[in-house]
Amino acid sequence: MLTSKCLRGVVTGYPLAINATIINITEVDYNPEFITRIIPKLDWEVLWRAADSIGHSDGLPQTIEPKFEENNEFLKKVHRVLLEVDIEEGNLVCPESGRRFPISKGIPNMLLTEAEVQ
Amino acid sequence: MKLKVLEGHLGEISGFTKPKVEYEQYETPSHIAAVALYTMQTQFEALESKLVLDAGCGPGMLSCGASLLGAGTVTAVDIDGESLDILKENIEFTEVDNIDIIQCNFLCPEMYRCENYFDTVVMNPPFGTKNNAGIDMKFLKMGLDLSCDSVYSLHKSTTRSHIQKRIKEWGVKGSVIAELRYNLKSSFKFHKQHSKDIAVDLWRLHHS
């Protein structure tokens, strides 16, 4: 799920760059009401660039249109990129330090070593 | 989903294989988790189609339950990789598909990037009894900072007046919405009794 892997990077440096070696697509139940409600919470530009960097921005507009909530096709695309595209193996890379956070079995490890925590 | 069905599903979830004392890894019993989650949904509509965070998720009893009750997505956060591996198995076993796992320290300052992001934060925080006094309150405060609506958290009933005091200091509203009994199996060597019944409160805290 891209939801938390890139949008609100839970680590130093934002947004994190994504290096994906294995991407999985898993089908998730489509809930348009939920998608409509979370879109305003997202940093759209960051999401678009993240999706684009892993080759999944097809048909996704670079800016959100007004009345997006009425555009079911758009909501379905957001649903797909947010919930169905999953990075199974890869890295999240901090843009400032270059520090890599490994993603293994779909789980990003954001723990810093004691030396990194000042 | 009925309460009994939910409890049945959660009863089949695996717990900690080797609980770590430094993280106070006590499992959330399936009965407690089921009642707590069911109360959140039926009384406050806090789960269905909501953006949920499970803070200190462990093997994911609350995460899986929240997902079964229709959460939009559940973000499950824990510092311990081994617990998250078990959660991964539990997710496959429960056949839920919208839990997003992150291994990180819930109390690290970077979490503030998610300030007010989640609708609902659920947690069974460390009680703060083993050389880490106060960690339960740190979890609670962080949960409040990351939620735009409410936090649901399990605490020993003996800490009730202390929590009431902190809630006032923080300027938020809160009340105990269920009183539960937690049958703590002796999971660590220093436990003298085989099992112990502990009174536990389910708190609901929300921004006023």
Side-chain angles (χ1 to χ4, degrees), chain A residues 51-70:
Chain A
D52 193 51
S53 74
I54 55 166
H56 280 273
S57 64
D58 273 0
L60 211 59
Q62 264 179 283
T63 48
I64 303 176
E65 330 150 16
K67 294 195 178 174
F68 68 86
E69 64 275 11
E70 292 167 13

Side-chain angles (χ1 to χ4, degrees), chain B:
Chain B
M1 183 177 287
K2 287 193 173 148
L3 176 58
K4 275 204 171 157
V5 178
L6 177 66
E7 197 179 332
H9 280 298
L10 296 184
E12 293 177 44
I13 278 182
S14 310
F16 297 106
T17 39
K18 286 179 236 150
K20 297 189 178 76
V21 67
E22 70 268 33
Y23 298 140
E24 286 192 83
Q25 292 178 328
Y26 300 107
E27 265 153 51
T28 314
S30 54
H31 173 69
I32 297 249
V35 171
L37 293 162
Y38 194 76
T39 307
M40 293 173 210
Q41 177 53 30
T42 51
Q43 289 190 21
F44 303 100
E45 294 176 358
L47 298 172
E48 201 178 316
S49 295
K50 301 290 186 201
L51 209 49
V52 178
L53 171 72
D54 182 358
C57 62
M61 187 67 81
L62 293 173
S63 295
C64 291
S67 184
L68 286 167
L69 288 179
T73 61
V74 179
T75 304
V77 170
D78 204 287
I79 198 166
D80 179 37
E82 282 173 40
S83 299
L84 296 177
D85 288 338
I86 305 169
L87 167 58
K88 191 95 186 156
E89 288 166 23
N90 285 333
I91 287 172
E92 273 163 40
F93 183 77
T94 325
E95 294 183 334
V96 290
D97 55 17
N98 59 353
I99 298 177
D100 199 12
I101 309 175
I102 305 173
Q103 184 178 3
C104 71
N105 178 359
F106 178 61
L107 299 178
C108 72
E110 286 78 20
M111 285 303 289
Y112 282 109
R113 289 235 167 75
C114 305
E115 207 169 351
N116 301 327
Y117 181 63
F118 298 97
D119 298 311
T120 302
V121 177
V122 299
M123 59 173 87
N124 182 12
F127 286 149
T129 45
K130 299 289 165 213
N131 309 320
N132 53 0
I135 194 170
D136 50 341
M137 293 301 125
K138 286 183 190 159
F139 261 72
L140 208 47
K141 182 67 172 66
M142 182 62 99
L144 277 167
D145 290 338
L146 303 192
S147 68
C148 60
D149 194 87
S150 39
V151 178
Y152 296 83
S153 185
L154 292 160
H155 296 269
K156 280 185 183 174
S157 300
T158 49
T159 62
R160 196 181 291 183
S161 60
H162 180 60
I163 294 177
Q164 263 151 356
K165 224 183 284 167
R166 299 305 294 270
I167 287 176
K168 235 184 217 172
E169 287 169 22
W170 294 334
V172 296
K173 297 215 164 104
S175 55
V176 174
I177 57 168
E179 293 178 334
L180 303 153
R181 295 205 73 82
Y182 197 128
N183 185 263
L184 211 59
K185 274 183 253 161
S186 57
S187 34
F188 296 120
K189 276 185 188 148
F190 56 79
H191 287 154
K192 291 189 183 101
Q193 289 151 307
H194 181 62
S195 75
K196 199 179 166 192
D197 238 16
I198 295 177
V200 170
D201 293 336
L202 173 62
W203 278 87
R204 174 177 186 256
L205 270 55
H206 56 104
H207 299 276
S208 34

Side-chain angles (χ1 to χ4, degrees), chain A residues 36-51:
Chain A
T36 303
R37 224 165 40 77
I38 63 169
I39 285 174
K41 285 173 178 266
L42 307 172
D43 187 334
W44 185 262
E45 202 189 319
V46 171
L47 170 66
W48 190 88
R49 269 197 264 149

Side-chain angles (χ1 to χ4, degrees), chain A residues 84-105:
Chain A
E84 298 192 326
V85 176
D86 198 14
I87 297 150
E88 186 72 8
E89 300 289 330
N91 288 289
L92 297 174
V93 186
C94 172
E96 286 154 33
S97 63
R99 164 76 150 90
R100 285 164 178 267
F101 298 90
I103 303 172
S104 164
K105 288 182 258 167

